[in-house]
Amino acid sequence: MGQIGNRIAALREKQAMTQEELSIKLDISRASLSHYEKNRREPDYDTLVKIANFFKVSIDFLLGRTEDPDMVLDSEVRLFVDSLELSDERIMQNFALTIDGKELTPEEAKRFIAFVRAERSF
């Protein structure tokens, strides 16, 4: 792919952040971030979502499928997603999400929300 690392590095530099600062914000090791930026490794799905959410860009942009960081989110969807990002906790207090009769754990619910957001960005 190659694109991902270059995009992450460019986004980080645009924010005038060090790798150390960004790795703390993303809750990953600095070494992992360095590997991503140098295109030695690719971030897993969850990390890709964290990066996209942190920089408020689409996953398509990170993957190099578009040059427009917002391309896939029209303004109404962007507004809705931004309001969701304010409080995953509040969403989970308002809904008891169940699958096959079992209530989702908070961790499962967060992954579910992240999945829906990612789906919307394609």
Side-chain angles (χ1 to χ4, degrees):
M1 285 205 182
Q3 288 275 19
I4 299 173
N6 303 344
R7 297 265 160 122
I8 295 168
L11 287 165
R12 177 180 59 73
E13 287 161 9
K14 195 171 159 192
Q15 298 275 328
M17 294 180 82
T18 64
Q19 284 187 339
E20 185 67 28
E21 290 167 332
L22 181 57
S23 65
I24 290 167
K25 295 269 189 206
L26 298 174
D27 195 28
I28 61 174
S29 72
R30 196 200 63 74
S32 291
L33 179 59
S34 176
H35 285 307
Y36 302 150
E37 288 191 4
K38 292 189 168 104
N39 297 304
R40 289 196 204 113
R41 280 187 26 215
E42 289 179 4
D44 63 20
Y45 172 78
D46 288 339
T47 305
L48 209 53
V49 170
K50 279 186 198 175
I51 293 166
N53 286 344
F54 179 80
F55 289 114
K56 296 190 180 348
V57 297
S58 71
I59 288 174
D60 277 348
F61 176 76
L62 287 177
L63 296 178
R65 290 171 44 154
T66 175
E67 293 307 309
D68 179 354
D70 304 305
M71 184 193 91
V72 292
L73 294 182
D74 67 37
S75 58
E76 283 169 23
V77 173
R78 164 71 66 192
L79 223 64
F80 180 65
V81 168
D82 285 348
S83 74
L84 281 182
E85 279 177 35
L86 292 176
S87 179
D88 290 354
E89 310 303 322
R90 282 223 317 272
I91 293 170
M92 290 185 278
Q93 286 166 9
N94 293 332
F95 299 99
L97 299 171
T98 57
I99 292 179
D100 301 331
K102 274 182 67 178
E103 197 167 318
L104 269 64
T105 66
E107 195 45 51
E108 289 171 328
K110 281 181 185 161
R111 288 206 313 268
F112 175 76
I113 292 165
F115 174 78
V116 170
R117 285 190 184 129
E119 282 279 290
R120 288 186 179 140
S121 72
F122 284 106

